[in-house]
Amino acid sequence: MAARKNWAPDRRDVIWINCNPQTGREMKDIHPLLVLSPKPFNERTGIVIGLPMTTAAFNESNPFAVKFSGAKGVVSYILTHQPKSFDWRMRGAKAHPMKQIPEPLFAQACESLNQIIALCE
C-alpha cells in the first residue's frame, strides 16, 4: 500500500482519470490521459496537465487527434485539442496498463498541441 501512496504521475505516463463533471463537447466519464506535466509538478501541486485519449472512431477525421495502435491493435486517439488540468488525487487517478507512451508518439502529440497553442516556435 505504501507504493500506491507515494505514486505520482509523470510526463509520458498514461493514467486513468475521471473527467466528470463535464459540459458541452468535453469528454466525460473515466478515460486515459496522456500526462504532459512532470512528476515534481504533479506531486507538489496535486494537479496533472494532460491530453485525453479515446477509441471513438469519429476522431479518424479529426486533424488534432493523434492516431496510434494501442494494446492488442486497438486504434486509439490522443486528443491534442483538449488539454486538461485535473486534481489527480481528488479524482482518484490510477496508472493505466499502457504505462507510458513511446517517445516518438509523445513528441508527435506535443507537436500537434504546439500547432494549436504555439508555445514553442
Side-chain angles (χ1 to χ4, degrees):
M1 187 70 157
R4 172 70 178 124
K5 182 176 174 137
N6 294 326
W7 175 83
D10 200 0
R11 181 174 277 143
R12 283 185 45 223
D13 284 356
V14 178
I15 63 171
W16 288 112
I17 194 101
N18 187 341
C19 300
N20 292 338
Q22 62 79 230
T23 187
R25 298 193 57 166
E26 296 173 347
M27 293 183 80
K28 64 181 178 177
D29 300 328
I30 297 174
H31 279 275
L33 183 82
L34 171 58
V35 177
L36 299 175
S37 50
K39 186 174 185 173
F41 172 85
N42 302 333
E43 286 176 320
R44 183 173 180 117
T45 65
I47 300 293
V48 65
I49 301 169
L51 301 171
M53 299 167 62
T54 184
T55 56
F58 63 80
N59 285 291
E60 181 70 34
S61 62
N62 179 348
F64 305 109
V66 176
K67 181 180 176 180
F68 69 100
S69 289
K72 301 178 183 173
V74 174
V75 174
S76 298
Y77 303 89
I78 302 168
L79 303 181
T80 64
H81 66 296
Q82 290 193 38
K84 307 280 187 199
S85 64
F86 291 114
D87 183 322
W88 61 272
R89 290 182 180 118
M90 293 302 292
R91 290 178 181 265
K94 295 180 173 104
H96 188 279
M98 190 181 299
K99 300 202 186 309
Q100 281 198 329
I101 289 290
E103 185 64 47
L105 185 58
F106 183 76
Q108 184 181 358
C110 289
E111 176 56 33
S112 180
L113 175 61
N114 193 51
Q115 290 176 16
I116 299 167
I117 60 176
L119 285 177
C120 302
E121 302 231 9

